[in-house]
């Protein structure tokens, strides 16, 4: 029998699409300043790659738009994408530029580690609207951060292009400001661009200190109100060990309490893990309260591991953490 003719748009191939710069990360294996430490463990990093990894581990069909250099770091990252089951159809090899990397100290005392980037002019900083999916937006959801638009004017254009493409297709958008002041020409350029992208998003996920810098407001409530008034439907403000404050248009607001952790090993990546929890929760139909609680559970797990994505749980590990 012939299938019935249908005029409905085809279902998106992916649950989530994200875009950004993946890097090789060299993590010091002993405490000390970067120049003094000689032994490092190499892992994959990059805020959006961390989020893609976490979503894929939970079983969401996750795609990643990026450019890798035709070099050993690029080959390493390609292997990591394949190992994590991240969709690679939007990953391009750019033989003219190299893959970026970063280094991180080992901070055994729970303080933020020292980080150095080696990413200027990288393959991913040459991403442009030529890398956007052709023929319609292929996912139910777009996850953006404030890092991608910081890389170059072309990546900035791509971030806005993808946001408009997603909106036109009826996909939802989450946005983590992920402030990286050293990647921007000025604070004003950073604030203007990040707030403009936030205004195109459904869900905004600032940390409290980021929110203060971006909005001038000092309380989680006022930061959330600022983004709700700009057009976001939902805002979750991260509060570190305290958890998060959540608020939505015409809906609930409140605090989702953080989970106690016996030993903080490395805080880097907690915000990305938190985004994995909130975004996956909302896509699976949880309330904002439930999604924020899942964000806290994953954030608390990530801080107990040294690598940015070591603590991102599989579905079974997430279920066991309840
Ligand atoms: N020390 C901690 N104990 C428990 N949970 C934590 C801790 N630090 C962070 N988290 C969790 O990770 C989330 C993100 O961490 P936070 O430091 O606020 O964000 P970011 O890394 O973006 O600055 C928090 O909202 C919380 O859920
Ligand atoms: O991509 C970058 O520029 C990075 O610095 C990679 C970092 O691993 C994450 O961005 C961690 O970010 P948080 O989760 O907010 O701690």
């Amino acid at each position: 029998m012939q299938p019935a003719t249908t005029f409905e748009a085809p279902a998106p191939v992916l649950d989530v699409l994200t875009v950004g710069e993946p890097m090789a990360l060299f993590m010091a294996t002993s405490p000390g300043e970067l120049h003094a430490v000689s032994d490092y463990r190499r892992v994959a990093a990059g805020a959006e790659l961390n989020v893609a990894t976490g979503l894929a581990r939970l079983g969401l069909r996750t795609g990643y738009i990026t450019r890798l250099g035709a070099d050993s770091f690029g080959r390493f990252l390609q292997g990591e994408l394949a190992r994590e089951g991240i969709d690679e159809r939007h990953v391009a090899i750019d033989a003219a530029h190299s893959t970026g990397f970063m280094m991180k100290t080992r901070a055994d005392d729970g303080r933020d580690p020292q980080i150095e980037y080696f990413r200027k002019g990288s393959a991913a900083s040459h991403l442009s609207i030529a890398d956007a999916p052709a023929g319609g937006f292929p996912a139910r959801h777009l996850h953006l951060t404030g890092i991608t638009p910081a890389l170059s004017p072309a990546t900035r254009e791509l971030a806005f292009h993808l946001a408009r493409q997603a909106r036109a297709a009826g996909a939802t958008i989450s946005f983590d400001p992920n402030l990286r002041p050293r990647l921007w020409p000025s604070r004003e350029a950073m604030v203007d661009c990040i707030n403009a992208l936030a205004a195109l998003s459904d869900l905004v996920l600032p940390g409290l200190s980021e929110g203060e810098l971006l909005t001038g407001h000092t309380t989680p409530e006022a930061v959330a109100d600022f983004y709700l008034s700009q057009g976001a439907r939902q805002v979750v403000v991260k509060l570190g060990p305290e958890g998060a404050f959540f608020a939505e248009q015409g809906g609930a607001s409140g605090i989702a309490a953080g989970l106690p952790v016996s030993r903080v090993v490395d805080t880097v990546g907690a915000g990305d893990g938190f985004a994995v929890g909130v975004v996956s929760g909302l896509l699976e139909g949880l309330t904002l309260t439930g999604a924020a609680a899942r964000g806290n559970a994953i954030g608390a797990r990530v801080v107990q591991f040294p690598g940015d994505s070591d603590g991102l749980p599989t579905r079974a590990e997430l279920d066991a953490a309840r």
Side-chain angles (χ1 to χ4, degrees):
M1 201 173 79
Q2 292 292 314
T5 308
T6 170
F7 296 99
E8 281 174 22
V13 180
L14 299 168
D15 294 310
V16 181
L17 183 61
T18 189
V19 57
E21 173 163 29
M23 286 170 284
L25 160 61
F26 290 89
M27 300 193 308
T29 53
S30 55
E33 292 188 37
L34 289 172
H35 74 272
V37 172
S38 55
D39 290 337
Y40 291 84
R41 178 181 150 219
R42 184 199 57 184
V43 295
E48 305 86 355
L49 175 58
N50 295 339
V51 173
T53 299
L55 293 171
R57 285 191 193 163
L58 293 179
L60 281 88
R61 297 164 303 167
T62 306
Y64 183 46
I65 302 173
T66 197
R67 288 195 193 190
L68 299 168
D71 48 31
S72 301
F73 289 154
R75 284 180 65 184
F76 160 64
L77 289 163
Q78 254 187 317
E80 291 297 294
L81 291 172
R83 196 164 63 86
E84 297 291 350
I86 296 169
D87 185 285
E88 288 180 66
R89 79 192 71 189
H90 301 294
V91 176
I93 304 297
D94 178 344
H97 304 100
S98 43
T99 313
F101 70 97
M102 59 186 278
M103 301 174 80
K104 180 166 87 169
T105 54
R106 183 177 181 119
D108 275 340
D109 50 9
R111 284 189 304 175
D112 287 346
Q114 177 199 348
I115 285 175
E116 276 185 25
Y117 295 120
F118 300 82
R119 65 198 299 182
K120 204 171 169 49
S122 67
S125 73
H126 288 84
L127 281 162
S128 74
I129 54 174
D131 297 282
F137 193 74
R140 292 202 285 144
H141 183 85
L142 171 67
H143 179 73
L144 291 173
T145 81
I147 301 172
T148 302
L151 301 176
S152 70
T155 59
R156 202 165 309 146
E157 204 184 346
L158 174 62
F160 281 94
H161 177 83
L162 289 169
R164 286 190 289 264
Q165 232 188 354
R167 282 177 84 95
T172 47
I173 304 173
S174 50
F175 179 66
D176 183 341
N178 246 314
L179 297 188
R180 297 285 179 272
R182 63 184 116 165
L183 300 182
W184 289 93
S186 71
R187 178 175 158 140
E188 192 186 19
M190 174 175 82
V191 172
D192 288 352
C193 175
I194 295 229
N195 284 342
L197 269 177
L200 289 173
S201 306
D202 298 278
L203 167 68
V204 183
L205 298 163
L208 181 57
S209 55
E210 290 178 332
E212 285 177 14
L213 200 155
L214 289 166
T215 70
H217 296 295
T218 52
T219 64
E221 291 83 354
V223 170
D225 280 347
F226 175 88
Y227 287 113
L228 293 175
S229 74
Q230 301 285 302
R233 282 192 300 115
Q234 299 172 312
V235 181
V236 189
V237 182
K238 291 168 277 184
L239 306 174
E242 313 301 324
F245 173 81
F246 60 89
E248 60 189 330
Q249 297 277 2
S253 66
I255 295 275
L259 272 68
V261 162
S262 52
R263 195 167 96 89
V264 175
V265 175
D266 183 319
T267 52
V268 182
D272 301 335
F274 185 85
V276 169
V278 178
V279 170
S280 67
L282 292 174
L283 287 174
E284 290 166 24
L286 296 186
T287 60
L288 188 57
T289 319
R294 187 189 283 187
N296 283 332
I298 299 182
R301 197 171 192 280
V302 169
V303 301
Q304 299 178 70
F305 291 79
D308 295 11
S309 55
D310 290 343
L312 294 169
T314 60
R315 177 68 62 173
E317 287 166 340
L318 178 65
D319 290 344
R322 290 211 182 113

mmCIF file of all heavy atoms in Angstrom, residues 21 23 25 45-48 50 102 104 115 117 119 147 176 178 180 183 210 238 267-273 308, ligand 2:
data_model
loop_
_atom_site.group_PDB
_atom_site.id
_atom_site.type_symbol
_atom_site.label_atom_id
_atom_site.label_comp_id
_atom_site.label_asym_id
_atom_site.label_seq_id
_atom_site.Cartn_x
_atom_site.Cartn_y
_atom_site.Cartn_z
ATOM 1 N N GLU A 21 33.196 25.991 19.766
ATOM 2 C CA GLU A 21 34.601 25.626 19.592
ATOM 3 C C GLU A 21 34.995 24.515 20.558
ATOM 4 O O GLU A 21 34.995 24.708 21.768
ATOM 5 C CB GLU A 21 35.500 26.850 19.859
ATOM 6 C CG GLU A 21 36.964 26.449 19.862
ATOM 7 C CD GLU A 21 37.919 27.610 19.710
ATOM 8 O OE1 GLU A 21 37.587 28.729 20.124
ATOM 9 O OE2 GLU A 21 38.997 27.381 19.146
ATOM 10 N N MET A 23 37.904 22.106 22.131
ATOM 11 C CA MET A 23 39.362 22.227 22.332
ATOM 12 C C MET A 23 39.906 20.981 22.997
ATOM 13 O O MET A 23 39.199 20.293 23.734
ATOM 14 C CB MET A 23 39.667 23.423 23.246
ATOM 15 C CG MET A 23 39.496 24.773 22.594
ATOM 16 S SD MET A 23 39.598 26.118 23.785
ATOM 17 C CE MET A 23 38.015 26.004 24.573
ATOM 18 N N LEU A 25 41.960 19.887 26.009
ATOM 19 C CA LEU A 25 42.236 20.511 27.307
ATOM 20 C C LEU A 25 43.336 19.718 28.002
ATOM 21 O O LEU A 25 43.221 18.497 28.166
ATOM 22 C CB LEU A 25 40.950 20.500 28.156
ATOM 23 C CG LEU A 25 41.105 20.668 29.670
ATOM 24 C CD1 LEU A 25 41.754 21.997 30.036
ATOM 25 C CD2 LEU A 25 39.732 20.572 30.360
ATOM 26 N N ALA A 45 37.289 19.548 25.659
ATOM 27 C CA ALA A 45 36.598 20.633 26.351
ATOM 28 C C ALA A 45 35.949 21.578 25.352
ATOM 29 O O ALA A 45 36.048 21.390 24.142
ATOM 30 C CB ALA A 45 37.568 21.388 27.255
ATOM 31 N N GLY A 46 35.352 22.624 25.910
ATOM 32 C CA GLY A 46 34.578 23.571 25.101
ATOM 33 C C GLY A 46 33.170 23.532 25.658
ATOM 34 O O GLY A 46 32.568 22.455 25.785
ATOM 35 N N ALA A 47 32.650 24.701 26.012
ATOM 36 C CA ALA A 47 31.376 24.742 26.729
ATOM 37 C C ALA A 47 30.263 23.996 25.994
ATOM 38 O O ALA A 47 29.559 23.166 26.580
ATOM 39 C CB ALA A 47 30.966 26.190 26.952
ATOM 40 N N GLU A 48 30.108 24.261 24.707
ATOM 41 C CA GLU A 48 28.984 23.639 23.976
ATOM 42 C C GLU A 48 29.242 22.156 23.740
ATOM 43 O O GLU A 48 28.301 21.358 23.697
ATOM 44 C CB GLU A 48 28.742 24.353 22.641
ATOM 45 C CG GLU A 48 28.511 25.854 22.760
ATOM 46 C CD GLU A 48 29.809 26.656 22.782
ATOM 47 O OE1 GLU A 48 30.903 26.049 22.802
ATOM 48 O OE2 GLU A 48 29.721 27.897 22.777
ATOM 49 N N ASN A 50 30.793 20.284 25.891
ATOM 50 C CA ASN A 50 30.419 19.672 27.171
ATOM 51 C C ASN A 50 28.905 19.448 27.229
ATOM 52 O O ASN A 50 28.435 18.387 27.672
ATOM 53 C CB ASN A 50 30.819 20.572 28.352
ATOM 54 C CG ASN A 50 32.330 20.732 28.485
ATOM 55 O OD1 ASN A 50 33.085 19.917 27.978
ATOM 56 N ND2 ASN A 50 32.752 21.784 29.161
ATOM 57 N N MET A 102 43.529 24.353 25.365
ATOM 58 C CA MET A 102 43.593 25.145 26.593
ATOM 59 C C MET A 102 44.273 24.350 27.689
ATOM 60 O O MET A 102 44.403 23.117 27.574
ATOM 61 C CB MET A 102 42.185 25.582 27.028
ATOM 62 C CG MET A 102 41.225 24.452 27.297
ATOM 63 S SD MET A 102 39.525 25.025 27.644
ATOM 64 C CE MET A 102 39.653 25.461 29.376
ATOM 65 N N LYS A 104 44.743 23.915 32.091
ATOM 66 C CA LYS A 104 44.047 24.196 33.354
ATOM 67 C C LYS A 104 44.877 23.656 34.515
ATOM 68 O O LYS A 104 45.374 22.524 34.448
ATOM 69 C CB LYS A 104 42.674 23.503 33.290
ATOM 70 C CG LYS A 104 41.804 23.685 34.506
ATOM 71 C CD LYS A 104 40.364 23.276 34.222
ATOM 72 C CE LYS A 104 40.108 21.810 34.453
ATOM 73 N NZ LYS A 104 38.677 21.463 34.424
ATOM 74 N N ILE A 115 43.274 29.164 34.062
ATOM 75 C CA ILE A 115 43.051 28.641 32.708
ATOM 76 C C ILE A 115 43.796 29.513 31.690
ATOM 77 O O ILE A 115 43.784 30.736 31.801
ATOM 78 C CB ILE A 115 41.534 28.630 32.387
ATOM 79 C CG1 ILE A 115 40.861 27.483 33.140
ATOM 80 C CG2 ILE A 115 41.271 28.515 30.887
ATOM 81 C CD1 ILE A 115 39.360 27.435 33.016
ATOM 82 N N TYR A 117 44.145 29.941 27.393
ATOM 83 C CA TYR A 117 43.627 29.508 26.087
ATOM 84 C C TYR A 117 44.683 29.676 24.998
ATOM 85 O O TYR A 117 45.437 30.662 25.005
ATOM 86 C CB TYR A 117 42.426 30.370 25.679
ATOM 87 C CG TYR A 117 41.214 30.224 26.559
ATOM 88 C CD1 TYR A 117 40.700 31.321 27.248
ATOM 89 C CD2 TYR A 117 40.572 29.001 26.684
ATOM 90 C CE1 TYR A 117 39.570 31.204 28.041
ATOM 91 C CE2 TYR A 117 39.448 28.877 27.484
ATOM 92 C CZ TYR A 117 38.953 29.983 28.161
ATOM 93 O OH TYR A 117 37.838 29.856 28.938
ATOM 94 N N ARG A 119 43.746 29.597 21.387
ATOM 95 C CA ARG A 119 42.620 29.383 20.462
ATOM 96 C C ARG A 119 42.488 30.489 19.423
ATOM 97 O O ARG A 119 41.639 30.378 18.543
ATOM 98 C CB ARG A 119 41.326 29.235 21.279
ATOM 99 C CG ARG A 119 40.942 30.488 22.040
ATOM 100 C CD ARG A 119 39.939 30.253 23.160
ATOM 101 N NE ARG A 119 38.672 29.728 22.720
ATOM 102 C CZ ARG A 119 37.632 29.494 23.542
ATOM 103 N NH1 ARG A 119 37.740 29.752 24.837
ATOM 104 N NH2 ARG A 119 36.506 29.008 23.084
ATOM 105 N N ILE A 147 30.018 32.226 24.194
ATOM 106 C CA ILE A 147 31.405 32.031 23.741
ATOM 107 C C ILE A 147 31.473 32.075 22.215
ATOM 108 O O ILE A 147 32.331 32.753 21.647
ATOM 109 C CB ILE A 147 31.981 30.706 24.277
ATOM 110 C CG1 ILE A 147 31.956 30.700 25.800
ATOM 111 C CG2 ILE A 147 33.407 30.499 23.758
ATOM 112 C CD1 ILE A 147 32.318 29.369 26.431
ATOM 113 N N ASP A 176 23.258 30.208 27.373
ATOM 114 C CA ASP A 176 24.098 30.356 28.559
ATOM 115 C C ASP A 176 25.118 31.460 28.261
ATOM 116 O O ASP A 176 25.953 31.277 27.370
ATOM 117 C CB ASP A 176 24.813 29.021 28.825
ATOM 118 C CG ASP A 176 25.667 29.065 30.083
ATOM 119 O OD1 ASP A 176 26.004 30.171 30.547
ATOM 120 O OD2 ASP A 176 26.011 27.985 30.603
ATOM 121 N N ASN A 178 27.840 32.430 29.572
ATOM 122 C CA ASN A 178 29.216 31.930 29.607
ATOM 123 C C ASN A 178 30.236 33.026 29.314
ATOM 124 O O ASN A 178 30.995 32.947 28.336
ATOM 125 C CB ASN A 178 29.370 30.815 28.565
ATOM 126 C CG ASN A 178 29.625 29.475 29.219
ATOM 127 O OD1 ASN A 178 30.449 29.360 30.116
ATOM 128 N ND2 ASN A 178 28.920 28.464 28.769
ATOM 129 N N ARG A 180 33.249 35.277 28.720
ATOM 130 C CA ARG A 180 34.692 35.102 28.541
ATOM 131 C C ARG A 180 35.264 36.475 28.169
ATOM 132 O O ARG A 180 35.591 36.723 27.008
ATOM 133 C CB ARG A 180 35.002 34.103 27.411
ATOM 134 C CG ARG A 180 34.521 32.689 27.644
ATOM 135 C CD ARG A 180 35.402 31.963 28.670
ATOM 136 N NE ARG A 180 34.929 30.600 28.906
ATOM 137 C CZ ARG A 180 34.014 30.271 29.808
ATOM 138 N NH1 ARG A 180 33.439 31.206 30.560
ATOM 139 N NH2 ARG A 180 33.668 29.014 29.986
ATOM 140 N N LEU A 183 37.957 37.177 25.562
ATOM 141 C CA LEU A 183 37.748 36.912 24.128
ATOM 142 C C LEU A 183 37.069 38.088 23.416
ATOM 143 O O LEU A 183 36.923 38.067 22.196
ATOM 144 C CB LEU A 183 36.891 35.655 23.931
ATOM 145 C CG LEU A 183 37.427 34.330 24.487
ATOM 146 C CD1 LEU A 183 36.471 33.197 24.145
ATOM 147 C CD2 LEU A 183 38.818 34.028 23.949
ATOM 148 N N GLU A 210 27.530 36.770 36.540
ATOM 149 C CA GLU A 210 27.373 37.132 35.124
ATOM 150 C C GLU A 210 26.152 38.041 34.957
ATOM 151 O O GLU A 210 26.190 39.043 34.244
ATOM 152 C CB GLU A 210 27.143 35.879 34.270
ATOM 153 C CG GLU A 210 28.347 34.983 34.121
ATOM 154 C CD GLU A 210 28.036 33.735 33.301
ATOM 155 O OE1 GLU A 210 26.877 33.278 33.281
ATOM 156 O OE2 GLU A 210 28.970 33.215 32.690
ATOM 157 N N LYS A 238 22.093 30.723 38.092
ATOM 158 C CA LYS A 238 22.899 29.751 38.849
ATOM 159 C C LYS A 238 23.529 30.409 40.072
ATOM 160 O O LYS A 238 24.060 31.509 39.983
ATOM 161 C CB LYS A 238 23.998 29.189 37.938
ATOM 162 C CG LYS A 238 23.449 28.307 36.834
ATOM 163 C CD LYS A 238 24.498 27.997 35.790
ATOM 164 C CE LYS A 238 24.606 29.122 34.795
ATOM 165 N NZ LYS A 238 25.564 28.822 33.698
ATOM 166 N N THR A 267 35.505 23.114 39.814
ATOM 167 C CA THR A 267 34.201 23.726 39.523
ATOM 168 C C THR A 267 33.965 23.962 38.030
ATOM 169 O O THR A 267 32.835 24.240 37.622
ATOM 170 C CB THR A 267 34.090 25.091 40.238
ATOM 171 O OG1 THR A 267 35.246 25.855 39.883
ATOM 172 C CG2 THR A 267 34.011 24.938 41.740
ATOM 173 N N VAL A 268 35.021 23.895 37.213
ATOM 174 C CA VAL A 268 34.850 24.203 35.786
ATOM 175 C C VAL A 268 33.978 23.125 35.137
ATOM 176 O O VAL A 268 34.197 21.930 35.337
ATOM 177 C CB VAL A 268 36.212 24.284 35.065
ATOM 178 C CG1 VAL A 268 36.006 24.663 33.601
ATOM 179 C CG2 VAL A 268 37.095 25.298 35.747
ATOM 180 N N GLY A 269 32.984 23.577 34.375
ATOM 181 C CA GLY A 269 32.075 22.620 33.731
ATOM 182 C C GLY A 269 30.767 22.454 34.483
ATOM 183 O O GLY A 269 29.824 21.858 33.953
ATOM 184 N N ALA A 270 30.691 22.989 35.710
ATOM 185 C CA ALA A 270 29.442 22.840 36.481
ATOM 186 C C ALA A 270 28.280 23.530 35.765
ATOM 187 O O ALA A 270 27.159 23.009 35.710
ATOM 188 C CB ALA A 270 29.609 23.414 37.881
ATOM 189 N N GLY A 271 28.562 24.719 35.212
ATOM 190 C CA GLY A 271 27.504 25.450 34.510
ATOM 191 C C GLY A 271 27.038 24.700 33.267
ATOM 192 O O GLY A 271 25.837 24.690 32.949
ATOM 193 N N ASP A 272 27.982 24.069 32.570
ATOM 194 C CA ASP A 272 27.605 23.282 31.385
ATOM 195 C C ASP A 272 26.761 22.073 31.804
ATOM 196 O O ASP A 272 25.766 21.735 31.164
ATOM 197 C CB ASP A 272 28.859 22.808 30.630
ATOM 198 C CG ASP A 272 29.727 23.975 30.169
ATOM 199 O OD1 ASP A 272 29.183 25.082 29.987
ATOM 200 O OD2 ASP A 272 30.943 23.775 30.011
ATOM 201 N N GLY A 273 27.170 21.421 32.897
ATOM 202 C CA GLY A 273 26.393 20.293 33.408
ATOM 203 C C GLY A 273 25.004 20.734 33.835
ATOM 204 O O GLY A 273 24.010 20.030 33.609
ATOM 205 N N ASP A 308 36.200 18.535 32.703
ATOM 206 C CA ASP A 308 34.945 19.278 32.523
ATOM 207 C C ASP A 308 33.765 18.358 32.276
ATOM 208 O O ASP A 308 32.637 18.673 32.637
ATOM 209 C CB ASP A 308 35.044 20.211 31.310
ATOM 210 C CG ASP A 308 36.073 21.299 31.496
ATOM 211 O OD1 ASP A 308 36.859 21.226 32.447
ATOM 212 O OD2 ASP A 308 36.076 22.227 30.675
HETATM 213 O O1 LIG B 2 34.684 26.798 25.961
HETATM 214 C C1 LIG B 2 35.349 27.492 26.732
HETATM 215 O O2 LIG B 2 35.681 28.676 26.473
HETATM 216 C C2 LIG B 2 35.800 26.945 28.010
HETATM 217 O O3 LIG B 2 36.332 27.667 28.833
HETATM 218 C C3 LIG B 2 35.541 25.540 28.282
HETATM 219 C C4 LIG B 2 35.091 25.270 29.677
HETATM 220 O O4 LIG B 2 35.323 23.925 29.887
HETATM 221 C C5 LIG B 2 33.639 25.492 29.918
HETATM 222 O O5 LIG B 2 33.180 26.620 29.292
HETATM 223 C C6 LIG B 2 33.296 25.506 31.372
HETATM 224 O O6 LIG B 2 32.299 26.456 31.696
HETATM 225 P P1 LIG B 2 31.447 26.435 33.055
HETATM 226 O O7 LIG B 2 30.560 25.243 32.963
HETATM 227 O O8 LIG B 2 30.682 27.722 33.062
HETATM 228 O O9 LIG B 2 32.432 26.312 34.182
#
